[in-house]
Amino acid sequence: MTPLQQPHTIITPGPIRNWEATPYGISGHTEEAYFSIQVYADHTIRVQVSRHEVFSPNPYAVTTKPVSGLFEFRSSPDILWLATKKMTLTISRECFSLSFATPEGKVLCEEDPAIGINWLGTEVSCYKKLQPWEKFIGLGEKTGGLNRWGKAYTNWNTDHFGYGLDADPLYLSVPFYIGLHSDKAYGLFFDNPHKSVFNFGASNNRFSYFSADNGDLDYYFFHDDSVASIIQAYTQLTGRMEMPPLWSLGYQQCRYSYYPDREVLRLAQTFREKGIPADMIYLDIHHMEKYKVFTFDSKNFPDPATMIRSLKERGFKVVVILDPGIKKDPDYTPYVEGIEQGLFIRYPDQVPYEGHVWPGWCAFPDFTKPAAREWWANKLSFYSSLGVDGFWTDMNEPATWGQHMPNIIEFDFEGERCSHRKARNVYGMQMARSTQEGALRHTDNQRPFVLSRSGYAGIQRHAAVWTGDNVASDEHMLAGIRLVNSLGLSGVPFSGFDVGGFAGNTNPQLFARWISLGAFSPLFRAHSMINSNDSEPWSFGEEVEEIAKNYIKLRYKLLPTIYAAFLESGSSGLPIAKSLAIDYPFDDRVYKGPFDNQYLFCDKFLVVPVESFRPVTKVFLPKGKWYYLFTSQLLEGDQVCYWESPLSYLPVFVKAGTLLTMQQPVSHTGEAHDGILHLHVYRGSGTSTHLHYEDDGTTLDYRGSAYFKRYLVMDHTHKVLTFDESIGNYESRFQTVKIYFHGFTETQASVGEVLKTFEKEDVSFVDRISDFDPLPDNRHPYHECEDTRTLTITHPLDKLTITLH
């Protein structure tokens, strides 16, 4: 092979010189490189190419192994050909260019024979031909529109305060995207944690490409019958989230910072006095002594255990911030331990690296070192012993003032030893991993809750994420929606944005709109920064307080549906906030602003984000039929229409045929409800299924059989609603089911063998807003689903059939 030291010369693999079949695929070497092709599933093929004989894989993202016996293989003088049930891979023996196709031979993704795979110095790249109409979606936490075509993005985890609407990179890197063309979809995950670039046709009309500063070309190619199946394949590879605690799905209140302790207690009491539901209060860096992690400020929080106990008595869970920086202080035990045990990242001469952050000059645990992760996990006992419930890992890109950590810093990287260039993008994920492990270790069978700002592919196994230091503006509100939708496309289902905006001062109208959107977000957290105006639900006047209270209460009413959606997401890997590109990938309207903001929540609600100043907005209704949530007005799909969007009514629609469950609003998830399950059935066609799921909401016992689970099935053709037999050993907390039939005209139903007559009821999903302004023009509308048929039954344990007449 030619020498590696040719920084100005492009090197390509060259012709294949030797190859052999293996149980998992094929491997060999070309004139300039070594390669390995492995089959992980019918829908997943791994490609590794390196200029070194020994590959250097990333140990953190992928949780599965290749599988033998899943492929056919043939060779000829010109090509090597490998096929699974889902796709074929053709490799040119002359130049080692790869072409992926469907079993029928339709090209999915192919390299240019001349420069497909190449090296320029240490940079490794893979150039793919652009296909007609090709669109690119996903790539994790990336700004901009849903379709990435014509843009280029960098993966390099960055602390980006108050980031712009097109800023890149941000805090988290998921180098996985989905390509769409010719009614076909494929996925590609480039598992190289070095700084990487993805160019989707920016500044050229010939290629898309991805490249990394160093390391191997190591990617996984996915193909299946749908976008959803590709996301499932990707998360089968990188893992899926565990069931979170129920309280983490409630409303969360945060500020930089709430202190002293009496302010935190007053905040909690105000929620309860005003009857606004909430479950979590965060403590930002001012709870610490001089911003040192594993401490409480003795002046502002003299008795944290008593404060936390008092919050728990009010139904609140407490989450504390964790920053990785360990203050350089010879009297600070964590620093001394880290130095003595060699747990910090270091320069090549073994001097610990120091960076300046909140506490001053700090050392940083090497979370790529097992001993450091173990140490960090053990240190969390400090918080658990005080009653802390969850952890918020911040500044873990890692962030330091100046934003330029020297690349020569060394990391353990599971014994491999590498520089900052390779370790940076996985650092935050490994901090979240260690935090999750500590939370599990120090609590008695309780589910952990970790919220992380930074991460890498696979972060969904360890933490929820939020979209960082956003700005109080309508534009940022909509950008946050797109970021969450993109994270969902990238295997991260539990994510959210800071409601109200972190930086700057939000206004009443913006907060009202933002909190209504937050109610339909996987993570529902309000947050604001120091020296900004208060941003609690009651901080913007009585009118906005009522709107905020309505949507927070609606969130709690919807918890049975949301909780079941989280269970299904943990099983399938599919998002809870679901971009329309998943179900309607080849409808061009999905990619046109403002429609690329729209999404499906829990696979039932079509949510239409709209600016706070816009009283009427354009809505794209996909194919099918849709009901306006607040009136049950039926609308035809496959159209664009205008819809009124007052602050009190976010445009939300329900797919025809949907079944969804609700409950009485409670002040927090630990409070008992009235025992009535509200089942809403929307008339449609065919057969619809809804999962109803319950467990204790807090422990890991659900991993066994400590749950209540059943499917509800509506056969719209024959007008039959079936409660399947329940499974599991958990006793349902609902004794009664009240069924609401939207769009039905029938008047009676046979419940088993008993004939019952429907009642009629005007159903409202949110309460009426008071008329604070006496002028008629300023009154808020009030909507009801009028004359809705209802039927109340005892919650059955066994199978039950209800036939409408």
Side-chain angles (χ1 to χ4, degrees), residues 741 746-749 756-760 789-791 804:
F741 293 96
E746 288 74 13
T747 59
Q748 293 180 315
K756 292 193 173 185
T757 301
F758 290 152
E759 301 288 334
K760 286 187 179 181
R789 270 65 170 170
T790 69
L791 178 67
L804 280 61

Side-chain angles (χ1 to χ4, degrees), residues 423-679:
R424 181 178 183 87
N425 280 343
V426 300
Y427 186 87
M429 174 181 172
Q430 294 312 294
M431 181 182 177
R433 170 188 176 182
S434 180
T435 303
Q436 180 192 51
E437 291 169 352
L440 283 165
R441 182 174 304 169
H442 302 302
T443 56
D444 183 19
N445 196 37
Q446 297 295 299
R447 301 177 206 174
F449 174 74
V450 179
L451 179 65
S452 182
R453 188 168 77 174
S454 185
Y456 183 77
I459 183 64
Q460 66 271 10
R461 304 195 304 267
H462 307 300
V465 302
W466 92 104
T467 59
D469 298 339
N470 61 356
V471 177
S473 71
D474 281 279
E475 295 80 9
H476 250 273
M477 177 180 68
L478 298 184
I481 295 292
R482 292 192 297 274
L483 287 171
V484 168
N485 291 351
S486 184
L487 285 164
L489 284 164
S490 310
V492 184
F494 197 5
S495 66
F497 37 77
D498 286 344
V499 169
F502 178 70
N505 290 311
T506 191
N507 61 62
Q509 293 75 24
L510 178 57
F511 186 85
R513 179 68 82 207
W514 215 325
I515 206 160
S516 69
L517 283 165
F520 293 92
S521 171
L523 183 84
F524 189 14
R525 183 179 89 144
H527 188 29
S528 57
M529 75 174 294
I530 196 168
N531 295 325
S532 67
N533 294 340
D534 291 346
S535 289
E536 293 73 41
W538 53 83
S539 301
F540 301 93
E542 296 91 340
E543 184 176 79
V544 173
E545 179 181 332
E546 287 197 5
I547 293 172
K549 183 177 180 179
N550 263 350
Y551 279 94
I552 295 173
K553 286 175 68 176
L554 179 58
R555 170 72 170 213
Y556 280 76
K557 291 177 186 178
L558 288 171
L559 279 176
T561 289
I562 296 171
Y563 197 54
F566 267 81
L567 180 77
E568 292 183 302
S569 178
S571 175
S572 69
L574 294 175
I576 293 146
K578 189 177 178 185
S579 166
L580 296 186
I582 295 177
D583 286 355
Y584 312 96
F586 302 106
D587 190 324
D588 276 327
R589 291 169 294 186
V590 166
Y591 305 95
K592 295 178 179 177
F595 307 138
D596 67 353
N597 297 323
Q598 294 183 195
Y599 62 98
L600 294 170
F601 185 64
C602 299
D603 214 24
K604 300 177 185 295
F605 302 98
L606 174 64
V607 181
V608 182
V610 56
E611 299 93 334
S612 62
F613 56 80
R614 200 177 297 280
V616 176
T617 190
K618 271 186 173 183
V619 173
F620 167 54
L621 296 174
K623 290 180 180 179
K625 295 185 178 183
W626 301 85
Y627 290 86
Y628 179 51
L629 173 64
F630 300 106
T631 65
S632 288
Q633 179 183 345
L634 182 62
L635 299 135
E636 290 292 334
D638 199 19
Q639 66 157 320
V640 173
C641 61
Y642 286 92
W643 202 261
E644 291 187 354
S645 52
L647 290 176
S648 53
Y649 284 101
L650 179 71
V652 179
F653 303 84
V654 182
K655 283 197 290 189
T658 290
L659 288 77
L660 62 91
T661 48
M662 300 178 68
Q663 67 178 34
Q664 171 203 35
V666 289
S667 61
H668 58 89
T669 57
E671 182 178 79
H673 50 63
D674 62 4
I676 302 174
L677 181 68
H678 300 266
L679 170 61

Side-chain angles (χ1 to χ4, degrees), residues 200-394:
F200 298 112
S203 303
N204 85 96
N205 60 1
R206 181 177 173 185
F207 303 113
S208 68
Y209 70 83
F210 51 93
S211 64
D213 281 358
N214 206 335
D216 298 342
L217 183 75
D218 189 351
Y219 71 87
Y220 297 81
F221 189 88
F222 308 91
H223 173 61
D224 213 323
D225 298 331
S226 65
V227 173
S229 296
I230 290 169
I231 297 171
Q232 288 178 300
Y234 167 75
T235 57
Q236 181 180 323
L237 188 79
T238 60
R240 294 165 181 164
M241 71 170 175
E242 289 269 13
M243 193 66 176
L246 178 61
W247 48 263
S248 67
L249 309 187
Y251 179 71
Q252 310 174 14
Q253 188 66 50
C254 187
R255 181 174 176 81
Y256 165 40
S257 298
Y258 291 119
Y259 70 99
D261 53 1
R262 61 180 177 273
E263 181 177 343
V264 179
L265 293 170
R266 187 181 304 116
L267 173 74
Q269 188 60 30
T270 304
F271 271 104
R272 299 299 177 243
E273 289 174 352
K274 289 181 172 291
I276 300 175
D279 265 86
M280 295 168 63
I281 291 176
Y282 286 74
L283 301 180
D284 209 319
I285 59 174
H286 288 91
H287 84 271
M288 304 177 190
E289 176 188 307
K290 297 180 179 178
Y291 308 127
K292 293 184 293 186
V293 68
F294 311 125
T295 68
F296 267 89
D297 178 9
S298 59
K299 177 182 177 182
N300 288 315
F301 296 89
D303 188 355
T306 298
M307 179 197 71
I308 292 170
R309 187 164 54 250
S310 179
L311 290 170
K312 288 180 182 293
E313 290 169 355
R314 292 169 168 83
F316 283 93
K317 304 295 183 181
V318 178
V319 176
V320 296
I321 195 169
L322 300 175
D323 288 350
I326 304 295
K327 182 176 176 60
K328 182 182 180 182
D329 181 347
D331 297 321
Y332 178 37
T333 300
Y335 177 75
V336 174
E337 291 175 347
I339 292 293
E340 291 177 347
Q341 298 175 38
L343 302 177
F344 298 139
I345 57 177
R346 302 180 177 197
Y347 290 104
D349 61 4
Q350 302 307 296
V351 174
Y353 165 75
E354 295 174 6
H356 201 271
V357 280
W358 300 115
W361 289 104
C362 292
F364 292 81
D366 183 354
F367 289 108
T368 71
K369 186 173 187 174
R373 291 197 299 270
E374 179 77 7
W375 170 80
W376 179 271
N378 285 333
K379 298 301 288 185
L380 295 186
S381 63
F382 168 78
Y383 295 109
S384 298
S385 66
L386 296 172
V388 168
D389 300 284
F391 300 99
W392 169 24
T393 59
D394 195 17

